[in-house]
Amino acid sequence: MCRPDRAAAARRAAEATTLVEALAGMAILGGVLVTMLIGQARLVAQQARADERLEACRLADGLLEDWWQDPDSFPRNDSGAVSGTRSWQWRTQPVANEEAEAVGAEVVALELRRDEAAEDADENASLRIEVLLPAPPDLPPAALPAAADTEEAR
């Protein structure tokens, strides 16, 4: 009668992978894969936001270049579509700034957003730039503050 060698059987059992061990390994690899896919999705979303902001900067540069040629006609409380694009809107609005008003100037904010975002006024703009402009000619400039009669002012 041939008896199996107990040492050899124990060695084969120790070398073999059990179903539980294989499932545990697959679960660990699945967790790593899910973590990598989530990280990749976040990276793609961040890249899309960065590309949108870069495009908004390029468009704002073009708008400001056109408008800056005649600061008196700079749109101070207006909105419209960015020419040459189908999906971008711009909006300007005055920003209260006492220091600018004291020197006869005003601050105007330029916001750019995509058309989809323009419908929801509460959504943040892709880009917001504040520009210091001379007061428009149709508005009286703010009175300059009187210089203090001090030793430093002389």
Side-chain angles (χ1 to χ4, degrees):
M1 187 152 127
C2 218
R3 285 187 69 162
D5 186 7
R6 288 186 185 191
R11 199 173 35 246
R12 279 193 303 269
E15 292 173 359
T17 304
T18 65
L19 180 60
V20 172
E21 290 170 332
L23 288 175
M26 288 174 55
I28 290 170
L29 286 176
V32 169
L33 179 64
V34 166
T35 302
M36 288 174 56
L37 289 175
I38 290 172
Q40 177 69 19
R42 288 181 180 166
L43 179 66
V44 167
Q46 182 179 4
Q47 181 67 42
R49 284 191 306 271
D51 288 343
E52 181 176 291
R53 287 186 179 145
L54 282 172
E55 185 178 2
C57 286
R58 183 184 58 77
L59 293 170
D61 186 47
L63 287 171
L64 291 172
E65 183 178 340
D66 291 343
W67 293 339
W68 202 255
Q69 293 175 10
D70 183 14
D72 292 339
S73 65
F74 196 101
R76 286 166 161 78
N77 196 9
D78 203 358
S79 64
V82 177
S83 61
T85 69
R86 291 182 293 157
S87 62
W88 285 94
Q89 297 285 322
W90 60 266
R91 179 177 74 171
T92 57
Q93 60 187 11
V95 176
N97 187 310
E98 293 177 8
E99 290 86 5
E101 292 170 5
V103 294
E106 70 175 329
V107 176
V108 176
L110 167 64
E111 294 180 350
L112 275 96
R113 65 182 79 229
R114 291 210 178 264
D115 279 341
E116 308 88 50
E119 295 174 2
D120 184 8
D122 293 336
E123 188 168 329
N124 291 335
S126 295
L127 178 72
R128 179 182 168 97
I129 300 173
E130 292 186 357
V131 181
L132 181 67
L133 298 171
D138 57 339
L139 295 176
L144 293 174
D149 190 21
T150 63
E151 196 63 37
E152 294 171 1
R154 293 183 193 152

